[in-house]
Amino acid sequence: MLNRNLIAGEWTAGSFASRNTSPSDISDLIGEYASADAQDVDRAIEAAAAAFPGWSRATPEFRSDILDRVGTEILARQEEIGRILAREEGKTLPEAIAEASRAGRIFRYFAGEALRLEGERLDSIRAGIEVEIIREPEGVIGIITPWNFPIAIPAWKIAPALAYGNTVVFKPADLVPGCAWIIADVLHRAGIPSGVFNLVMGKGSIVGEVIVRSPRVRAVSFTGSVPTGRRIGVECMERGKKVQLELGGKNPLIVAADADLDVAVNVALNGSYFSTGQRCTASSRLIVDDAIHDKFVEHLVEAMGRLKVDNSLNPGTDVGPVASQSQLEQDLKYIDIGRAEGARLAFGGELIKAETEGYFLKPALFVDSTNEMRINREEIFGPVASVIRVKNYEEAVAVANDTEFGLASGISTTSLKLASDFKRRSQAGMVMVNVPTAGVDYHVPFGGRKASSYGPREQGKHAREFYTSLKTVYVQS
Ligand code: NAD
């Protein structure tokens, strides 16, 4: 059966279809999904523009009830949705169910936020005049998402956009239409009015570009790679659109001399390799104090040896496949680059044969690497991390900050003094002390600094900065 796009409240076939197969088992067909062409996207944008006046003036309670129904259904179906997510993206079934659950909770959180959009009132500096500061929705929002969190990232953009009264044209990554289609189906059945939410699946170069260039789209929220994001940023700027970019990372984890070894190893193992290392917040640079270096590497390699890499649906799998053939090629290319640069592979880096045919890569750990190497400067986005040996904490902080990125950072230490110092000096948007760099809450701001992010933060109540515009009103009565 063909899963269609949702345009103006109608399920629409599109001009061609793409097959969605599993990276754990390329013979496992998840479904066929319609690809939108430029005309489809134009119609979706027109529908969203036409629906905006009604939706933006609907009561917050009306919007809240719909979002609440969506969140409640996703939570109730988290195991079934998680299974589809695990099949199409490749993270393990428990990780995928947790992501589906998080998406449900995000919709429920923003169901509450829809009711809490407050303004301010001040006396003017001029007698007899009152000043009101109010927030209003932007209009049509274009939402463009990557493949690595196929339900959570769409949820954390779509839910606030709708909660605050915007209408949406949503383009998911072409690798993962399954979860996107589920969101559209649930929203549709939850009673979202026609045109308020539109799903247009397909290629970035076709669907994404029409969204970015359309004068009717007021704002674009994008998560993905740096080159695509920067291009979109420039296009939006040239057209006077608001834009929010969540991009790559090269996140450091410092292992201080006084770290609890078990904690440090667990934090590194989780941060570097869970979800196959395909998280923008993954720890890819392990910056380890000379005093603990050898023990840390020995214990991490031991722990990596216990990781089971296999089909994401199999019980006991710790690390699923890489998400696609092209991502696997990128990972292998960087493993070759690391070797050529003189880093030593202490573990993994080779392809694994499983019972099913998929993109299985043994998690890789480089040692003897320096921060100048390409493997430590460029985002690999796979189960590949490298250890950089440093002589003390001061050098560790300098190396941690010596990167064009600034998404997440972490430190493993038992010292309150070092933890407090690192919190202040880290040039990242999110700092973790004795917890993995990846893995965040949905009710607090998410985002980075430097080349990792552009524009206001996502998630939690701070999401309103992007999805609303301030208006200052002066009233003489
Ligand atoms: P990508 O940049 O290739 O694609 C992201 C989205 O942009 C996809 O939907 C794609 O179809 C679309 N796109 C591609 N070309 C386009 C164009 N010309 N115009 C409009 N849209 C276009 O990224 P990806 O490979 O899907 O995802 C991996 C990247 O995402 C990594 O760099 C990762 O760090 C980043 N990421 C960042 C965060 C964050 O919050 N900072 C979170 C997750 C992933």
Side-chain angles (χ1 to χ4, degrees):
M1 192 193 89
L2 179 69
N3 296 286
R4 300 164 189 227
N5 289 310
L6 182 63
I7 299 173
E10 302 284 332
W11 293 106
T12 308
S15 42
F16 57 100
S18 69
R19 287 161 58 82
N20 183 12
T21 55
S22 171
S24 288
D25 175 1
I26 56 176
S27 69
D28 176 17
L29 177 69
I30 296 143
E32 293 202 302
Y33 292 83
S35 281
D37 60 20
Q39 286 76 33
D40 293 329
V41 187
D42 278 335
R43 281 194 299 115
I45 294 169
E46 285 305 315
F52 177 68
W55 181 248
S56 58
R57 286 197 293 266
T59 66
E61 191 177 70
F62 181 71
R63 296 200 293 262
S64 173
D65 283 349
I66 291 175
L67 296 177
D68 188 54
R69 284 199 286 278
V70 171
T72 301
E73 175 171 339
I74 292 175
L75 279 172
R77 291 173 54 199
Q78 57 182 278
E79 306 226 339
E80 170 213 339
I81 296 173
R83 211 173 165 78
I84 292 171
L85 199 166
R87 281 169 68 206
E88 78 170 350
E89 195 269 348
K91 61 186 60 163
T92 66
L93 189 56
E95 287 172 331
I97 292 170
E99 186 184 332
S101 158
R102 181 175 173 194
R105 295 207 176 273
I106 289 168
F107 273 100
R108 292 237 294 233
Y109 175 86
F110 282 105
E113 284 301 284
L115 297 161
R116 282 191 283 268
L117 190 63
E118 81 278 7
E120 295 171 53
R121 199 208 69 81
L122 294 83
D123 287 338
S124 167
I125 55 171
R126 288 169 283 167
I129 295 181
E130 287 181 356
V131 184
E132 285 168 28
I133 303 167
I134 54 179
R135 283 186 180 275
E136 294 182 338
E138 293 285 348
V140 178
I141 309 274
I143 291 179
I144 302 177
T145 55
W147 49 261
N148 66 326
F149 282 94
I151 197 159
I153 293 179
W156 81 52
K157 293 179 189 295
I158 293 165
L162 295 176
Y164 300 132
N166 302 281
T167 55
V168 168
V169 177
F170 166 44
K171 186 219 129 16
D174 21 339
L175 208 56
V176 289
C179 288
W181 188 87
I182 288 170
I183 294 182
D185 175 51
V186 176
L187 270 161
H188 186 58
R189 285 185 294 95
I192 195 89
S194 293
V196 170
F197 171 84
N198 301 272
L199 170 70
V200 277
M201 299 175 282
K203 293 246 164 296
S205 54
I206 301 169
V207 178
E209 292 207 0
V210 176
I211 292 174
V212 170
R213 292 182 181 166
S214 167
R216 309 207 78 160
V217 173
R218 281 303 317 136
V220 174
S221 179
F222 170 88
T223 298
S225 62
V226 171
T228 312
R230 287 206 175 140
R231 226 175 23 249
I232 288 175
V234 169
E235 297 239 23
C236 286
M237 212 83 77
E238 282 172 351
R239 291 166 174 79
K241 283 182 211 271
K242 200 169 180 182
V243 65
Q244 175 180 55
L245 307 173
E246 285 300 339
L247 310 172
K250 198 70 206 170
N251 310 294
L253 168 67
I254 293 178
V255 180
D258 65 4
D260 177 312
L261 196 58
D262 288 342
V263 171
V265 167
N266 283 331
V267 162
L269 196 69
N270 176 318
S272 301
Y273 302 114
F274 285 15
S275 300
T276 322
Q278 298 171 149
R279 295 187 285 189
C280 50
T281 46
S283 330
S284 51
R285 295 184 298 139
L286 308 176
I287 302 166
V288 186
D289 193 295
D290 188 43
I292 197 171
H293 177 278
D294 294 356
K295 275 219 139 15
F296 172 78
V297 170
E298 182 195 325
H299 281 74
L300 182 57
V301 165
E302 251 172 52
M304 290 175 75
R306 290 192 292 273
L307 289 177
K308 188 173 165 216
V309 183
D310 200 357
N311 189 314
S312 56
L313 296 180
N314 285 353
T317 296
D318 297 302
V319 176
V322 172
S324 67
Q325 174 76 39
S326 66
Q327 186 58 51
L328 181 64
E329 282 163 13
Q330 170 154 317
D331 297 346
L332 293 170
K333 180 188 92 181
Y334 273 104
I335 289 168
D336 284 345
I337 290 173
R339 279 204 188 98
E341 286 179 310
R344 185 168 64 80
L345 212 44
F347 188 87
E350 64 268 11
L351 295 176
I352 294 181
K353 269 214 153 325
E355 274 178 20
T356 46
E357 194 182 337
Y359 311 119
F360 300 103
L361 176 64
K362 200 168 196 178
L365 181 71
F366 276 113
V367 293
D368 301 340
S369 79
T370 68
N371 202 40
E372 283 65 48
M373 292 177 177
R374 282 181 67 193
I375 52 167
N376 286 324
R377 301 217 81 86
E378 297 168 22
E379 187 180 49
I380 302 172
F381 215 57
V384 185
S386 26
V387 173
I388 303 170
R389 188 197 290 255
V390 289
K391 48 183 187 308
N392 54 35
Y393 169 72
E394 278 306 313
E395 188 186 350
V397 176
V399 170
N401 286 335
D402 178 12
T403 167
E404 70 166 307
F405 296 106
L407 190 57
S409 70
I411 186 166
S412 193
T413 179
T414 50
S415 153
L416 183 58
K417 190 162 164 249
L418 291 195
S420 310
D421 184 75
F422 186 64
K423 257 181 345 196
R424 279 193 300 274
R425 288 166 64 193
S426 173
Q427 295 167 4
M430 296 173 287
V431 181
M432 316 289 184
V433 178
N434 293 322
V435 282
T437 54
V440 295
D441 290 2
Y442 58 82
H443 64 311
V444 291
F446 176 95
R449 296 181 183 178
K450 294 155 85 178
S452 290
S453 298
Y454 180 87
R457 289 286 186 265
E458 302 206 75
Q459 304 201 52
K461 68 177 182 191
H462 297 267
R464 66 180 58 176
E465 293 303 328
F466 181 73
Y467 293 103
T468 63
S469 210
L470 285 174
K471 184 180 270 177
T472 313
V473 185
Y474 295 83
V475 181
Q476 181 157 42
S477 42

